Amino acid sequence: MINQWARADERCTVILCKGCCCGSAGKHPDVSQKDQMARLRLIKEIKVRTSDDCLGVCSYSNVVVVRPRPTARRGGARPTWLGFVLDDLVVDAIGHWAAQGGPGAAPVPEILTLYEIQPPRRPHPAGRRRA
């Protein structure tokens, strides 16, 4: 019998930043991050999460991080950071790629190479918890 949780644990995780700038109607009034999340959640082969803390690359908002499957991570795959995720075409490409396995399992679609950014070297001060 196949463990139902084993398959779920092997999904990519797509994380949408919801920190200080990303998802902000003030910064991107024509973009609905709720719609982006709903669109991604239709894809059952991936996990979709949000980061309430700022991911520290505000100049690239809206930021999305695609985390590899655990087996790909153990094989050396690292998360892919994407910036300026502002339209459905890019959101669909992210979802399709993550459903195929994402980082370390499937090649990055050409369109997404245009959106790749470097992760911050240090945590953003806004993301730190206050004592």
Side-chain angles (χ1 to χ4, degrees):
M1 186 168 128
I2 297 174
N3 180 345
Q4 68 181 13
W5 300 111
R7 182 170 174 257
D9 290 342
E10 281 304 310
R11 296 180 291 170
C12 281
T13 302
V14 178
I15 303 166
L16 286 82
C17 180
K18 288 187 68 166
C20 59
C21 298
C22 297
S24 164
K27 190 164 186 177
H28 304 291
D30 297 332
V31 177
S32 169
Q33 197 176 52
K34 287 182 182 181
D35 289 349
Q36 289 178 337
M37 288 195 57
R39 196 174 191 91
L40 289 167
R41 285 195 168 133
L42 291 173
I43 305 168
K44 299 300 179 197
E45 295 87 1
I46 65 175
K47 292 186 274 187
V48 181
R49 305 279 188 259
T50 61
S51 170
D52 292 333
D53 289 335
C54 177
L55 294 178
V57 285
C58 300
S59 59
Y60 297 103
S61 77
N62 285 341
V63 175
V64 173
V65 180
V66 182
R67 291 179 51 202
R69 295 174 173 176
T71 52
R73 181 71 183 213
R74 287 190 293 273
R78 296 293 172 250
T80 298
W81 287 61
L82 304 162
F84 305 116
V85 178
L86 301 171
D87 63 57
D88 291 343
L89 180 67
V90 178
V91 172
D92 290 346
I94 292 168
H96 182 71
W97 177 50
Q100 290 179 328
V108 179
E110 190 172 335
I111 188 171
L112 294 183
T113 63
L114 302 172
Y115 293 86
E116 285 184 278
I117 61 171
Q118 292 297 314
R121 293 182 183 201
R122 291 182 263 164
H124 189 277
R128 294 184 190 147
R129 297 194 185 266
R130 295 191 175 130

